Amino acid sequence: MKIPFSPPYINQDVIQEVNSALESGWITTGPKVKLLEELVCEYTLAPNTLCVNSATSGLMLALKWYGIGSGDEVIIPAYTYAATALAVIHVGATPVMVDVEADFNISIHNMEKAITSKTKAVIPVDIAGWPCDYEAIDALVKNKKDLFKPSSENQEKLGRILVISDSAHSIGATYNNQYLGAITDITVFSFHAVKNVTTAEGGAVCINLPKPFNNQEEYNYLRCFSLNGQTKDAFTKSKAGGWRYDIIYPGLKINMPDILAAIGVAQLPEYFEKTLDKRVEIYEYYHKFFQAKAWAVLPPYKSENKTSSCHLYALRIKDISEATRDAIIEEISKNGVAVNVHFQPLPLLTLFKNMGYDINAFPMAFNNYKCEISLPIYPQLTQKELEYIVNTVTKAVESKI
Ligand SMILES: *Cc1c(COP(=O)(O)O)cnc(C)c1O
């Protein structure tokens, strides 16, 4: 049996929706993007949503919106995908990495210790789809108000550290019975090909700023900023008589095209109504099976106030070395099951190592990484395939530990 790690979920509805974009005479940012933005708002209850070409650019856009740049610090977990750090680097600020907890997510205690008068934002990451402790983060940034030194109009207006959640994994996850998107100041979802909902490449920026901000006004600003700071998008300009425009900000060019938005338009309702439940079922199947194994450490997926979007099944094997984990993965792969590791802590990667980040400062991130194996999880998996996966993993683990 050959089982891929994360093939995209493409059905006839997706194909039809993409065809309708192709046949409509308009293929870049236009009505399909608008519709996808409305659907994200409808399902997550985010006040406003802007779709962009990736979560990475969505994070950069949020940082730029807050006037973050050279000399500023942004706190991120050491255990995440590189994009979280790169977005900070691309706006000229310094990523301040902190260690995580056993649930893979950023440690609030370490976040607190890392806050200085230069801290302008924190980017907690919902690893594997498991929401961070947002009440604690909210309390923390409010507690640290006195330390905050505003240096832009929006910073003056908010008067505290901005909370941008890297929710690349966690669309559909809930916190206090509420979908993510309307929890933090700004939530960034990814619609990359391997994520729970995809547009092949893409991202969504949910805007949920407190008063006195007007979220619709900030959406208008960000939309313009994501299109080179141009006052009219190409769709409006293409109408007869609509030729004149102006450039009013040094914007980015990070808009999402309609062809891609069409994929998301077809996927999003089905995800919230059906395929998310299917992911939960698979999680529960894995859980039931591995619960009986003394060597298995199961990933969190529900608690009193949180539910996961079940993006990754991050299985850990108790007390094994990195070399043993690698050998187990090789054995599993030989038997046709594609697995993965999420994530290599950033300080293990050359770029960050060369910048001076040292893995020894992040013992929990390393411990989570060294024994972690992510198993396939997607709605197309059949019962037979799931059985094959758990048996293959078990055989591989038990032959190596
Ligand atoms: C996938 C991912 C991103 C980046 O998403 P893109 O849409 O590919 O830019 C950011 N953060 C995390 C944690 C991710 O897994």
Side-chain angles (χ1 to χ4, degrees):
M1 218 181 258
K2 277 224 172 335
I3 301 177
F5 183 69
S6 166
Y9 178 73
I10 303 298
N11 60 14
Q12 218 41 51
D13 293 346
V14 170
I15 292 164
Q16 230 165 42
E17 200 61 46
V18 172
N19 275 340
S20 108
L22 287 169
E23 285 162 1
S24 73
W26 190 260
I27 56 176
T28 189
T29 313
K32 298 280 187 206
V33 168
K34 197 88 208 132
L35 183 54
L36 182 58
E37 292 177 347
E38 283 164 10
L39 285 169
V40 173
C41 288
E42 189 184 315
Y43 281 97
T44 66
L45 300 183
N48 288 87
T49 300
L50 175 77
C51 284
V52 289
N53 63 356
S54 73
T56 310
S57 15
L59 291 170
M60 282 173 60
L61 182 66
L63 294 165
K64 273 185 175 281
W65 170 83
Y66 207 45
I68 294 175
S70 170
D72 294 333
E73 294 177 352
V74 177
I75 297 175
I76 63 166
Y79 196 86
T80 178
Y81 178 59
T84 320
L86 289 171
V88 177
I89 292 170
H90 287 319
V91 303
T94 305
V96 174
M97 294 181 195
V98 305
D99 206 2
V100 296
E101 299 282 356
D103 71 353
F104 297 101
N105 284 345
I106 194 162
S107 148
I108 311 301
H109 174 70
N110 290 331
M111 184 187 276
E112 177 167 15
K113 283 197 297 186
I115 291 175
T116 72
S117 58
K118 292 181 182 167
T119 310
K120 292 294 166 69
V122 292
I123 312 183
V125 184
D126 306 316
I127 299 288
W130 181 241
C132 293
D133 197 348
Y134 287 116
E135 270 171 346
I137 293 171
D138 186 55
L140 180 57
V141 296
K142 284 176 180 158
N143 271 338
K144 294 279 183 176
K145 264 189 169 173
D146 292 346
L147 207 56
F148 187 72
K149 292 211 165 52
S151 59
S152 76
E153 210 177 300
N154 285 333
Q155 291 177 23
E156 291 279 358
K157 213 160 149 183
L158 188 63
R160 61 162 169 81
I161 294 168
L162 178 73
V163 182
I164 307 168
S165 55
D166 179 337
S167 292
H169 298 177
S170 54
I171 191 163
T174 64
Y175 187 85
N176 286 344
N177 293 316
Q178 221 183 324
Y179 284 119
L180 302 190
I183 303 280
T184 57
D185 299 321
I186 295 178
T187 303
V188 180
F189 295 125
S190 172
F191 296 144
H192 177 264
V194 301
K195 304 292 157 76
N196 285 19
V197 175
T198 186
T199 57
E201 296 284 354
V205 179
C206 298
I207 309 157
N208 179 47
L209 295 157
K211 285 199 168 72
F213 287 99
N214 175 322
N215 287 305
Q216 181 62 44
E217 275 172 21
E218 300 311 329
Y219 167 88
N220 295 344
Y221 169 84
L222 289 171
R223 163 147 289 275
C224 171
F225 203 93
S226 72
L227 280 157
N228 287 336
Q230 185 167 308
T231 49
K232 269 183 200 167
D233 60 27
F235 187 68
T236 315
K237 251 176 58 186
S238 73
K239 306 258 167 74
W243 66 273
R244 194 186 290 277
Y245 64 87
D246 195 7
I247 300 287
I248 49 175
Y249 310 115
L252 299 166
K253 184 62 169 61
I254 56 170
N255 54 304
M256 175 187 282
D258 264 20
I259 286 196
L260 298 187
I263 305 174
V265 164
Q267 284 201 349
L268 201 82
E270 192 181 7
Y271 174 67
F272 276 93
E273 282 148 31
K274 207 172 88 192
T275 49
L276 175 57
D277 292 339
K278 180 77 196 179
R279 284 179 173 273
V280 177
E281 271 171 40
I282 296 171
Y283 232 79
E284 288 178 339
Y285 175 82
Y286 282 150
H287 248 60
K288 263 200 200 111
F289 184 88
F290 291 117
Q291 229 156 31
K293 308 289 176 196
W295 44 259
V297 182
L298 311 182
Y301 79 106
K302 65 178 175 192
S303 72
E304 211 168 278
N305 69 338
K306 300 183 198 180
T307 62
S308 175
S309 66
C310 297
H311 173 57
L312 300 168
Y313 194 86
L315 179 68
R316 279 167 291 181
I317 318 298
K318 242 172 233 169
D319 302 325
I320 57 165
S321 67
E322 189 181 358
T324 306
R325 189 271 317 273
D326 294 354
I328 294 169
I329 290 185
E330 203 173 305
E331 189 60 29
I332 297 171
S333 310
K334 261 194 234 156
N335 288 293
V337 178
V339 293
N340 242 298
V341 174
H342 292 94
F343 288 93
Q344 301 181 75
L346 302 183
L348 288 181
L349 306 173
T350 302
L351 171 74
F352 303 106
K353 227 187 276 181
N354 289 346
M355 287 172 77
Y357 298 95
D358 177 4
I359 189 63
N360 293 311
F362 310 98
M364 192 55 108
F366 187 78
N367 274 331
N368 285 339
Y369 151 77
K370 79 171 177 33
C371 59
E372 197 269 353
I373 302 172
S374 303
L375 308 186
I377 175 162
Y378 42 90
Q380 307 93 307
L381 281 169
T382 63
Q383 186 61 31
K384 269 210 160 56
E385 288 173 322
L386 288 173
E387 281 164 21
Y388 184 73
I389 293 167
V390 295
N391 289 326
T392 304
V393 169
T394 301
K395 262 188 239 155
V397 170
E398 291 179 354
S399 73
K400 303 287 175 192
I401 55 172

